[in-house]
Amino acid sequence: MIHIMNPESENLKGCLITMEKLEQLYEGKAKKVFATADPDLVIVSYKDDATALDGKKRGTIVGKGVINNKMSNFMMQKLEKVGVPTHFVEQLSDRETVVKKVSIVPLEVIIRNIAAGSFSKRYGVEEGTDLKISTIEFSYKNDDLHDPLINDYHAIALGLATPEEIEQIKEYAFKVNDMMKEYLLGLGIILVDFKLEFGKTSDGTLVLADEISPDTCRFWDVKTHAHLDKDLFRRDLGGAEEAYQEVMRRLMGE
Ligand code: UDP
């Protein structure tokens, strides 16, 4: 059982809460989610397990759970300050965080500043090509269908989100990009692209959920363009552990 007393926490408004992990609700590829005594809060536990290529490639990036937990919490707290509501409530330990329980909008929201990955392949553009504007795209989160690309009309037509939610998601996603791009550049990191997920709390509020980490973003070193992200694992380039540590060091001095 962990008692938290954090007068700094905006989401807890300085109250004393007792957080205990109850039953496991879900186990995903990189995280486990546990119930708490509060029906509106869950505890996320980050694992070192890594998957790629639609789940066909599996492995471990030692220490990644700790780094992703800390980085995601760090970024989400910064985003709250610039007006992007998030699921973040309180970090409990190196790997565990209390977050608001949400129902996930089944869309992967991808923002791109530079061509890479599936965008480069789909359109035949060399990786590293500057895009004339930052772009947004959606994938339908559906394992059976392998997360197909979907447009906003289709997402609304299928009832995955309302038109208002799509507009709000776009506004928040570009705000995330503006904040992170500038902040990371100051640390010598180019934000190439990233994936976000949004969820709705019990009162219907749309918030940024899931995580922001080297698993879900492409980070390149500004001088060398070296990968500082999961592409090292996806592409068998080696050095993923060191790269994740390097991002953490630049971000939080750890
Ligand atoms: N991404 C992710 N989860 C996914 C697919 C993509 O976090 O299931 C992130 C990925 O890390 C990258 C961005 O979204 O930062 C764009 O990925 P892309 O569509 O290029 O796919 P990939 O080449 O990784 O298959």
Side-chain angles (χ1 to χ4, degrees):
M1 185 180 301
I2 300 167
H3 296 279
I4 313 168
M5 176 66 167
N6 183 357
E8 303 299 318
S9 168
E10 285 162 29
N11 285 331
L12 288 177
K13 300 190 189 73
C15 58
L16 175 70
I17 61 166
T18 301
M19 269 302 141
E20 193 178 2
K21 270 194 302 194
L22 300 179
E23 79 273 16
Q24 184 174 308
L25 298 175
Y26 169 81
E27 177 161 9
K29 292 163 201 142
K31 297 189 276 292
K32 293 179 184 175
V33 180
F34 297 88
T36 70
D38 184 331
D40 288 331
L41 298 176
V42 292
I43 293 173
V44 177
S45 179
Y46 285 75
K47 305 189 285 184
D48 286 351
D49 298 354
T51 62
L53 309 176
D54 203 16
K56 287 191 277 291
K57 183 177 168 64
R58 286 169 190 277
T60 305
I61 301 174
V62 177
K64 135 176 129 66
V66 173
I67 291 168
N68 289 6
N69 183 39
K70 291 186 182 174
M71 174 169 178
S72 197
N73 293 342
F74 180 80
M75 281 300 173
M76 289 207 185
Q77 283 170 278
K78 281 196 167 297
L79 288 165
E80 293 267 357
K81 294 204 174 94
V82 297
V84 179
T86 77
H87 72 166
F88 175 78
V89 177
E90 191 74 64
Q91 186 170 307
L92 291 180
S93 65
D94 275 1
R95 286 181 188 271
E96 292 181 345
T97 294
V98 183
V99 299
K100 293 174 191 160
K101 188 173 188 180
V102 296
S103 62
I104 289 285
V105 176
L107 294 172
E108 294 197 338
V109 180
I110 294 171
I111 296 275
R112 299 179 190 271
N113 299 305
I114 292 174
S118 69
F119 184 96
S120 286
K121 218 176 266 173
R122 188 179 318 123
Y123 300 122
V125 195
E126 200 184 338
E127 274 211 339
T129 307
D130 266 326
L131 301 179
K132 297 197 190 312
I133 58 164
S134 299
T135 66
I136 189 164
E137 75 205 40
F138 302 103
S139 292
Y140 176 21
K141 263 174 75 74
N142 183 315
D143 284 342
D144 294 339
L145 299 175
H146 311 287
D147 301 340
L149 197 62
I150 190 170
N151 73 25
D152 41 6
Y153 279 83
H154 292 173
I156 295 163
L158 292 172
L160 308 181
T162 65
E164 294 75 23
E165 285 164 355
I166 294 283
E167 281 318 301
Q168 187 68 263
I169 284 172
K170 285 183 187 168
E171 189 193 315
Y172 287 156
F174 282 115
K175 227 173 185 178
V176 173
N177 189 42
D178 290 343
M179 194 287 281
M180 289 224 304
K181 202 168 57 170
E182 192 189 332
Y183 184 75
L184 290 168
L185 198 55
L187 306 176
I189 296 171
I190 299 172
L191 179 60
V192 174
D193 58 29
F194 57 96
K195 185 260 306 182
L196 300 176
E197 294 184 26
F198 291 84
K200 283 186 284 179
T201 60
S202 59
D203 69 2
T205 308
L206 188 75
V207 299
L208 179 62
D210 195 48
E211 67 179 277
I212 297 176
S213 72
D215 271 15
T216 62
C217 304
R218 281 197 171 93
F219 299 137
W220 291 357
D221 179 80
V222 75
K223 287 206 195 103
T224 64
H225 282 199
H227 298 283
L228 297 171
D229 56 51
K230 198 172 156 189
D231 272 349
L232 294 167
F233 169 79
R234 289 189 191 100
R235 301 177 184 188
D236 287 322
L237 298 171
E241 276 91 358
E242 293 75 11
Y244 277 59
Q245 287 291 347
E246 175 62 16
V247 173
M248 189 67 178
R249 194 189 61 73
R250 292 194 201 182
L251 216 62
M252 304 175 74
E254 286 181 33

